Amino acid sequence: MSDFSAVRVFFSRYGEFAALLGGLSLVLFFLTLVAIPLIIVSIPADYFIRDPGSLADRRHPVLRAAVFVIKNSLGAVFLLAGFIMLFIPGQGLLTIMIGLMLMNFPGKRRLELKLIRNPRIREAVNWIRVKAKRSSLELPE
């Protein structure tokens, strides 16, 4: 059986699934082209050097709970999309980083700093911020 006939057999059996994955890949790719730069530009330049709980402590408890649920749900969606984009076209590592930044979990700060200290990620994030006329992210020593 030649390689071409194996592909033909695969698409005859799983054509709908392959089309669904291809469509999902295309949607995620274009969605991240818009969403990721908007989120990166909205990160305060001092995000990594300020106290992480300073704003949340001043909110009403009901609002704090609602924001917690929404942020963590959105973060989980970005994390899953980023993981998928590691295997299909897209900005997987940046999407994973944004998903982690939205979620709350033990060790989050340490993981965020490890990711943003990666030269490739830091350069990509700061390049997007400079293009939007925002200052680069400040990192602790």
Side-chain angles (χ1 to χ4, degrees):
M1 184 187 275
S2 71
D3 289 336
F4 184 69
S5 61
V7 170
R8 191 178 318 160
V9 169
F10 174 81
F11 278 105
S12 69
R13 289 185 186 165
Y14 306 106
E16 291 177 9
F17 182 69
L20 178 67
L21 280 180
L24 177 65
S25 172
L26 195 61
V27 167
L28 286 175
F29 177 74
F30 285 110
L31 183 65
T32 58
L33 284 179
V34 174
I36 288 177
L38 291 175
I39 293 170
I40 287 173
V41 167
S42 70
I43 299 171
D46 66 345
Y47 175 81
F48 291 102
I49 59 173
R50 68 178 175 168
D51 178 23
S54 59
L55 177 63
D57 294 338
R58 295 181 289 204
R59 293 185 185 141
H60 188 275
V62 174
L63 180 61
R64 189 177 1 185
V67 168
F68 177 84
V69 169
I70 292 168
K71 275 182 52 181
N72 280 287
S73 299
L74 190 59
V77 168
F78 272 96
L79 188 64
L80 178 62
F83 182 73
I84 291 170
M85 281 185 265
L86 291 175
F87 304 101
I88 63 175
Q91 303 174 27
L93 290 176
L94 286 176
T95 307
I96 289 172
M97 189 184 95
I98 289 170
L100 291 174
M101 289 176 76
L102 289 171
M103 298 172 70
N104 293 351
F105 56 89
K108 170 188 170 181
R109 191 62 146 192
R110 186 178 37 226
L111 181 58
E112 285 176 334
L113 286 169
K114 183 176 183 172
L115 285 173
I116 198 65
R117 284 186 172 133
N118 178 311
R120 292 179 62 198
I121 294 175
R122 185 177 58 251
E123 289 169 10
V125 167
N126 285 330
W127 181 82
I128 292 169
R129 291 180 63 83
V130 166
K131 290 290 182 185
K133 296 180 176 41
R134 301 285 177 139
S135 59
S136 297
L137 292 175
E138 302 169 21
L139 297 177
E141 300 284 326

